[in-house]
Amino acid sequence: MTTVDRSHDHLGGHAGHHDEGSYLTPKYGPIATVWDWMTTVDHKKIGVMYLFAVLFMFFLGGVAALVLRTELLEPTRIVDGQVTGAALRPFVTGEVTPTSVGQLYNRVMTMHGAIMVFMFIVPGIPASLGNFFLPLMLGAKDVAFPRLNLASWYIYVFGSMFGVFSILQGGVDTGWTFYTPYSTTTAGQPQVIAMVLAAFILGFSSIFTGLNFIVTTHKLRAPGMGWFDMPLFIWAVYSTSIIQVLATPVIGITLLLLVFERVLQIGIFDPGLGGDPVLFQHFFWFYSHPVVYVMILPAMGIISDVLAVHCRKRLFGYRAIAFSSLAIAAISFLVWGHHMFTSQGELAAMIFSFLTFFVAIPTAVKVFNWIASLYKGSITFTTPMLYVFAFLFLFSIGGLTGLPLGTLSTDLHLHDSYFVVAHFHYVMFGGTVIAFLAGLHHWWPKMFGRMYNERGAQIGCLLVFVGFNVTFFTQFFLGTQGMPRRYASYVDEFHMLHMISTYGSYVLGLGFLVHLAVFVHSLFLGEKAPQNPWGGLTLEWETETPPIEHNFHEEPVVTHGPYDFDEVVPPGWDPKDYPLPAPAPAGSKH
Amino acid sequence: MATIDTHQPALGKDDKSVPLWKRYHHGHHWRTADDEFDAAKIGIWLFLSTEILLFSGMFCAYTLFRLMYPEAIAAGSSYLDWRWGGLNTVVLLISSFTMANAIRCVQLDKQSWARINLIITWLCAALFLAIKLTFEYGPKWAQGKRPGVLFNYPFASETHEPIWWGIYYVSTGIHATHVIGGMALIALLIYRQAKGSYGPSHYTLMEGVGLYWHIVDLVWIFLFPLLYLVH
C-alpha cells in the first residue's frame, strides 16, 4: 500500500460527518472493535488509551509508595545480626538477612521513583488530556501526525514493558537518577540495563508527542484563532512540548552512554577508569530539570482553564500567563546545576542559585494572576474547582519551600534530606497530580459522556487533600531535623513523625480509591452529560458530548476569546442553556 | 514549498493511467496540501533539532575528555588515517548532492533522473559503510583497539586510550546507525518513486528524508575533523 491509499482508508473521507456517532460508539463486533482501537489514529481514542495506561502506572507506583511508607512505620533495627521491627518482613520470601530489607527497600524506592517519573508524570497530562483536548480546543480534526501519535503510544507501552520486566527480574536499586558509578557497578546487570533502556525508549514517545503538539498548534488552529485566542492550556502544552523536544535527546545520549559504560566499561562516567561521574550528573540534570517543567506546565495550563470556567470570570493577565509558560520553558534549561550544588565549583553554584530564583518569577506571575482572577468571580465549589484551590494552596507551599533549597547556605543543611522529598512531592503531587485530577473531573463528562457523582468526588478530594498534607507536611519537619532521604531505617526520635506520615499516606490511598469508585460508577451508572456542563467557552464544549468521530460537524470559527464570559454569556444564564446561539459561520472553509 | 500546485484537479483514485502523485489527496484533517506539506516540514526540522542535541552529548564528552586527557586523545587520534576519513567525507558529500538533485528532479517531474540520483545516493551510503567497516573498524578491532573492557592493544602509549576508543566507537557507531537508517529510508524512496508516488505536487517524504540525510552528512562533517584531523 502507498501513502496515498492509507491516508484515505484509515482516516475516512469528507463524507459522513453529519450522521456519524460518538467516537465511543462501537461500529463493529467486539473483536473488530478492539482491533479498531488498537489501530486507531483518532487522537481521542489514543488519549483515552494513554489515560488508562498512565493511570495503571500511577497505580503501580502508588502501591510501591505505600509499601515504602509501611516499611517506615517502624525504625528497622539490626540487633545481633537479626532484623527487628521491619514491617516489610512479610514481603521478603525466605531468609530475612540484615541486608535484604534494606536492599528490598532500595528496589521498591527506585521502582516508585522510576515509574512515577518516567511512566506516569512525564507523559501523564500531555499524552492523555493533552492528546484528547489539544485538537478539540484548537478546533482541529486531529493532531498534525495521527500515525506518529499512535506510534508514540505503542512506544510508551513498549518502554513501560522494559521497566516492568526489570521489576519482575528483581528490580533496580539505583534510585530513579541512575547516578554513576553506582549504577554501573551495582549488582543486577539485566535489570539495570532494562530499566535504563525503558527510560530511553520512553523518551522517543515523549519527543513524538511533543513534536506533534508543536506542529498541531502552529498549523491546525481553527479559522479566527490567533495565538492569543488560544486557551491557556494550549499555551502550557505548547511550552511543555518545546521542552520535551529539546531536552529529551540529551537524556537519550546519556542513557545510551550509561548502557555502554555498564556493558563495555568504556570509562566515560566511571572514575575508576578515568571517567567523570559529574559529567553524568550534568547530562542527567540537563534533561531532568527541564523535565520537571514538563511535569508542572501542563498542570498550570489545566488550572488556568478550569479556574476561569468554574468562576465564570475572564482570566486576569492572559498574556502574562501565556508568556510566563514560555519563560518557564526557556529558563528551565539554565538551572540544572542546582541539583549538584555540592559537586561543582563555588562560582558555578552561585550562578545556578541566581538562575534558580529567576525561574520563580514567571511561576509567581501565574499564581498571582490566578488569585487575582478569583476576585469578583462567581465561584462554584465543584470538584474541579476544589482541586484548583488545593493546587493553589499546595503548589504555593511547594514553590516557596523551593527557595531555601535554591539558596546555597540553607541548601547545604537541607539537601538530600526529607525536606527535599517533601518539597518535591508538594510540587509534583500537590501541583501536577492535583491539577491532573482537576482536569480529569473537569473534562470527564466530555470524554465519556457521563457525569460523575459530585458528592462522592468531593469526599475523595477532601481525603486526598488531608491525606496528602498529613503525609508530606510532616516530612518538612523530618527534613529540618536531619532525616536523610532514601533510608530504610532511622533513629527513634523520628518515629512519631514517620508514623503520622505513613497514616497520612493511607488516607491518601483511600482518597484515590474513592475517586476510582466514583469514576467506575460514572462510566456505568452516571447520568448522561450535557454538551457543556460547566459553561465553558473553549471549542471543546461546542461539539457533542462525547465528541463525534471527526470532532466537529462543521469546522468551528472562533468569534470570541476563550474567557470572554462577560461579552458572550447573557446575564442570568445557566450552563444548561448552552449551546449559546451560534455565531454566524462566515468564512468557514469546510 | 512554493512549487506545490494545489490547483491540480482531484483525479479518480482508481484511474491507473494517472501517476500516483497526481492522485494523492492530502489527509482529511488538513485544509490544503500546502498546510500538510508545511506541517511535515516543521515536524522534520524539530526532529532534526533532536538529532543535533543527541550528537551534542557526544561532542560534549569529546571536549571534556580532550581537556582531561589531551595526550590520550592525541595518541588515539594518531591511529586514524585521515585519507580513509577524507574519502568517506567526499562520498557523503556526493550522496548529499545527489539527494538534493533527486528532489529537484522530482519537482520537475524528471522521474528517470530522480531514480538515478536516488540509487547513487543509496550506493554512496553503502560505500561509506563498506569503507568504514573494511578499512577502519575491521583492522582496528583486529589489532585490539577496542572500547572499554575489550581493549587489548599491547602497544598503547597512554593509560586512558580505552576512553578515546570508547568515544570514537560510540560517536561513529551512532552516526553509522543513522546512515543505516538513512539507507532504509532511501530504499523506501526508490521503491515508491518507481511506483510513481512522487511528483511536482507531492514529494513530502522525499523532502523529509533529504533533510535527514543532510543532517547525517553534517554530523560527519563535524566528526571527521575532530576525530581525524585535530591532534
Side-chain angles (χ1 to χ4, degrees), chain A residues 1-9 11-14 17 138-146 200 207-208 210-212 214-216 218-223 244-247 249-250 252-253 256-257 260 263-269 273-276 279 283 286 550 555 589, chain B residues 13 20-21 23-32 34-58 60-61 64-65 68-69 141 147-150 159-160 162-167 170 174 191-192 195 197-198 202 205:
Chain A
M1 262 178 36
T2 65
T3 357
V4 182
D5 298 330
R6 212 177 285 160
S7 65
H8 269 271
D9 292 345
L11 299 175
H14 283 261
H17 283 209
L138 290 172
K141 283 186 201 148
D142 209 321
V143 290
F145 310 118
F200 178 75
I207 288 176
F208 289 164
L211 192 154
N212 226 331
I214 293 178
V215 179
T216 309
H218 274 274
K219 300 299 294 181
L220 281 171
R221 301 193 306 277
Q244 281 179 307
V245 169
L246 295 183
V250 179
I253 188 71
L256 215 51
L257 283 171
F260 286 126
V263 178
L264 295 173
Q265 296 165 30
I266 52 174
I268 286 184
F269 297 137
L273 301 166
D276 187 356
L279 179 67
F283 277 179
F286 186 82
H550 291 91
E555 180 168 48
K589 284 193 244 169
Chain B
K13 225 170 123 171
L20 270 177
W21 62 268
R23 286 186 263 150
Y24 175 78
H25 198 280
H26 57 84
H28 86 296
H29 58 299
W30 294 104
R31 284 176 210 106
T32 63
D34 268 354
D35 274 359
E36 186 185 54
F37 182 77
D38 287 352
K41 248 184 133 161
I42 301 176
I44 286 290
W45 277 106
L46 286 170
F47 173 70
L48 296 186
S49 70
T50 71
E51 290 284 12
I52 289 168
L53 281 155
L54 179 84
F55 280 103
S56 70
M58 282 320 296
C60 229
L64 183 76
F65 285 100
M68 280 170 76
Y69 309 118
W141 196 271
V149 275
L150 304 171
T159 45
H160 290 116
I163 295 189
W164 152 265
W165 291 113
I167 292 172
V170 174
I174 296 176
Y191 170 73
R192 287 200 177 165
K195 285 174 53 175
S197 295
Y198 306 115
H202 175 61
L205 189 68

Side-chain angles (χ1 to χ4, degrees), chain A residues 317-476:
Chain A
Y318 171 94
R319 288 193 184 215
I321 298 181
F323 281 123
S324 66
S325 290
L326 287 179
I328 288 173
I331 301 170
S332 75
F333 282 97
L334 306 174
V335 299
W336 80 91
H338 70 217
H339 293 271
M340 346 171 10
F341 276 155
T342 51
S343 58
Q344 64 196 349
E346 276 180 17
L347 178 66
M350 278 163 64
I351 292 170
F352 278 123
S353 174
F354 173 76
L355 290 168
T356 301
F357 289 120
F358 212 57
V359 87
I361 296 170
T363 314
V365 164
K366 280 181 191 286
V367 175
F368 289 138
N369 277 315
W370 288 325
I371 292 173
S373 304
L374 292 171
Y375 180 65
K376 285 193 173 172
S378 3
I379 300 169
T380 51
F381 290 93
T382 50
T383 311
M385 195 60 204
L386 289 179
Y387 269 119
V388 169
F389 285 123
F391 176 94
L392 290 174
F393 185 74
L394 301 177
F395 182 76
S396 298
I397 294 178
L400 291 171
T401 52
L403 298 178
L405 292 173
T407 312
L408 289 175
S409 50
T410 42
D411 181 63
L412 281 176
H413 177 65
L414 295 170
H415 84 114
D416 258 348
S417 75
Y418 261 58
F419 193 89
V420 179
V421 178
H423 159 70
F424 183 77
H425 283 87
Y426 261 86
V427 183
M428 289 297 116
F429 195 116
T432 308
V433 179
I434 294 290
F436 193 10
L437 285 166
L440 198 54
H441 284 92
H442 179 69
W443 282 310
W444 180 271
K446 180 56 76 179
M447 289 176 91
F448 297 105
R450 305 267 188 173
M451 297 305 287
Y452 58 88
N453 182 306
E454 191 67 59
R455 183 53 53 86
Q458 283 168 342
I459 293 170
C461 176
L462 185 71
L463 288 172
V464 166
F465 182 75
V466 171
F468 173 80
N469 279 303
V470 174
T471 310
F472 290 104
F473 208 80
T474 45
Q475 297 188 1
F476 284 123

Side-chain angles (χ1 to χ4, degrees), chain A residues 314 537 559-561 563-571 580:
Chain A
R314 176 200 288 279
L537 295 181
T559 51
H560 55 74
Y563 311 114
D564 289 347
F565 294 95
D566 300 342
E567 288 85 340
V568 180
V569 181
L580 294 165

